[in-house]
């Protein structure tokens, strides 16, 4: 077995032991999900309030888009690989779109946003089939 696959299995095993019966929720978003700081943003508040029952993985980055922009901020390019980092998820909340409507992406960009969100839902369903994504 390759070292990377063995390492990934070990990480998932550790998470499974640590989280036990807690629900696992991934928040995938932009600055609306990560500001004003990891503990005071809405996923951080949710995690503190329900810490006994839920574990929140907040993978939100300022400037992230659904399908535009540079590689590290483009969800369609990075989501498939990043979902493999997380153990079995119960819910995925996608809160994107604010950066996609910027003028620099052009007027035709608005027509492509729907296509990008459909693609994101497909990626999540393929990688984590038990999860039905919530697009906010």
């Amino acid at each position: 077995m390759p070292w990377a696959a063995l390492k990934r299995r070990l990480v998932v095993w550790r998470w499974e032991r640590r989280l036990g019966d807690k629900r696992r929720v991934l928040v995938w978003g932009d600055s609306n999900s990560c500001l004003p700081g990891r503990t005071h943003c809405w996923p951080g508040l949710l995690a503190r309030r329900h810490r006994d029952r839920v574990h929140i993985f907040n993978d939100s980055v300022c400037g992230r888009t659904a399908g535009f922009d540079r590689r590290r901020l483009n969800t369609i390019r990075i989501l498939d690989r990043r979902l493999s980092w997380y153990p079995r998820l119960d819910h995925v909340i996608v809160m994107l779109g604010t950066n996609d409507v910027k003028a620099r992406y052009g007027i035709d960009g608005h027509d492509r946003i729907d296509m990008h969100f459909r693609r994101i839902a497909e990626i999540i369903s393929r990688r984590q089939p038990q999860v039905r994504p919530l697009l906010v």
Side-chain angles (χ1 to χ4, degrees):
M1 176 179 297
W3 172 247
L6 185 60
K7 187 176 174 183
R8 184 173 292 134
R9 279 189 176 183
L10 180 61
V11 168
V12 169
W13 178 77
R14 284 183 181 165
W15 273 110
E16 292 290 333
R17 283 190 62 210
R18 181 176 166 212
L19 295 177
D21 292 335
K22 286 185 180 181
R23 303 292 261 164
R24 297 163 177 99
V25 178
L26 171 64
V27 177
W28 184 270
D30 54 21
S31 60
N32 293 315
S33 301
C34 69
L35 292 177
R38 292 283 177 187
T39 57
H40 298 299
C41 59
W42 70 266
L45 298 173
L46 185 67
R48 276 203 321 262
R49 181 152 199 198
H50 299 286
R51 78 177 119 241
D52 299 343
R53 297 176 288 154
V54 177
H55 183 84
I56 306 287
F57 299 98
N58 188 4
D59 196 337
S60 300
V61 177
C62 294
R64 183 174 276 160
T65 66
F68 298 102
D69 208 56
R70 293 168 275 169
R71 290 180 185 226
R72 66 180 185 84
L73 297 176
N74 185 324
T75 293
I76 291 175
R77 291 181 186 244
I78 63 174
L79 182 61
D80 191 42
R81 186 184 65 211
R82 293 292 284 272
L83 282 173
S84 69
W85 294 4
Y86 299 102
R88 179 190 50 83
L89 295 169
D90 296 303
H91 305 283
V92 175
I93 300 171
V94 179
M95 189 168 177
L96 290 172
T98 306
N99 297 309
D100 294 272
V101 295
K102 290 181 177 177
R104 69 177 168 202
Y105 299 123
I107 293 176
D108 68 324
H110 298 296
D111 298 333
R112 292 188 290 169
I113 292 172
D114 180 54
M115 178 187 65
H116 291 162
F117 276 97
R118 288 177 194 273
R119 181 74 181 115
I120 290 168
E122 289 171 8
I123 292 168
I124 294 169
S125 296
R126 186 180 69 243
R127 182 59 83 163
Q128 298 268 348
Q130 76 282 2
V131 173
R132 195 163 164 204
L134 173 63
L135 305 174
V136 180

